[in-house]
């Protein structure tokens, strides 16, 4: 009879393996500091996600001031790609592995925190502004363009994982295709 050799199990990998200790070690601060500002690790994750949404929504709100400047594709692409900065796909994947964080995010969005809806509304207004300037065809539905951009960004954020191909080129191609149709 052959004896099996015991092996030490590998430590867990992926977003579900991230801990508050790993975060504070990476930040170079004491673990207690995270807990001094947040009720727990899930609240920290939720607030980090909500902060990224708010920053992108603010960037989207600024689009209307860019109407008539640069190119429509560059302006839309900058907002769409903002969702993928600061670890967007990894952060989204991580938040999904933590039910309490996901619930906190949903509750905040339902209570009016800026998220995909605010970004979509700002993109719609921007496309309408560009239509008034004649840089986007009047036959294009701004709501559909905004939904396509935000929906694709959401899909790419929710289906990306560490080691997967970079989702940003796909986002840029979509924006370019939508703007080309809009001419």
């Amino acid at each position: 009879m052959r004896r099996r050799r015991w092996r030490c199990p590998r430590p867990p990998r992926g977003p579900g393996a991230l801990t508050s200790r790993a975060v504070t070690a990476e930040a170079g601060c004491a673990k207690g500091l995270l807990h001094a500002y947040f009720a727990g690790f899930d609240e920290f994750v939720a607030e980090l996600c909500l902060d990224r949404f708010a920053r992108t929504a603010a960037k989207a709100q600024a689009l209307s001031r860019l109407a008539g400047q640069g190119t429509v594709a560059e302006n839309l692409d900058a907002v769409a790609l903002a969702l993928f900065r600061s670890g967007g796909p990894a952060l989204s994947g991580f938040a999904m592995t933590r039910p309490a964080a996901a619930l906190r995010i949903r509750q905040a969005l339902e209570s009016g925190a800026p998220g995909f809806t605010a970004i979509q509304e700002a993109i719609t207004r921007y496309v309408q502004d560009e239509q008034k300037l004649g840089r986007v065809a009047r036959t294009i539905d701004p709501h559909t363009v905004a939904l396509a951009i935000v929906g694709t960004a959401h899909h790419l954020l929710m289906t990306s994982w560490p080691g997967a191909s970079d989702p940003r080129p796909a986002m840029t191609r979509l924006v370019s295709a939508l703007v080309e149709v809009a001419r």
Side-chain angles (χ1 to χ4, degrees):
M1 184 157 113
R2 212 174 150 167
R3 276 179 82 176
R4 291 185 71 193
R5 202 167 102 166
W6 183 82
R7 291 187 183 161
C8 181
R10 287 185 166 167
R13 294 182 181 171
L18 190 62
T19 64
S20 59
R21 185 175 308 280
V23 169
T24 54
E26 180 69 24
C29 63
K31 183 177 179 195
L33 190 61
L34 186 140
H35 295 284
Y37 288 95
F38 302 98
F41 194 48
D42 288 324
E43 184 182 342
F44 166 76
V45 170
E47 290 300 322
L48 184 58
C49 284
L50 291 167
D51 176 72
R52 296 309 184 258
F53 276 140
R55 289 172 188 252
T56 304
K59 188 173 190 74
Q61 295 294 331
L63 272 175
S64 286
R65 292 192 300 269
L66 297 176
Q69 301 175 36
T71 70
V72 175
E74 289 169 345
N75 294 338
L76 290 172
D77 202 38
V79 168
L81 293 181
L83 285 164
F84 297 93
R85 289 190 186 89
S86 301
L91 184 57
S92 297
F94 183 55
M96 290 188 325
T97 67
R98 306 200 57 97
L103 176 63
R104 168 77 178 90
I105 293 166
R106 187 177 48 141
Q107 290 170 337
L109 293 174
E110 288 172 353
S111 295
F116 285 118
T117 301
I119 296 165
Q120 184 177 336
E121 290 167 354
I123 291 172
T124 298
R125 281 190 303 277
Y126 169 72
V127 174
Q128 290 168 337
D129 292 342
E130 291 288 12
Q131 281 180 319
K132 291 174 190 168
L133 296 172
R135 291 174 21 121
V136 172
R138 293 230 178 246
T139 56
I140 296 301
D141 177 16
H143 299 282
T144 302
V145 169
L147 177 61
I149 291 170
V150 171
T152 300
H154 183 268
H155 168 74
L156 292 171
L157 283 168
M158 295 299 125
T159 59
S160 295
W161 55 87
S165 61
D166 184 357
R168 292 173 297 185
M171 193 72 242
T172 298
R173 285 192 305 274
L174 173 81
V175 168
S176 294
L178 289 171
V179 170
E180 188 63 34
V181 167
R183 289 184 181 168

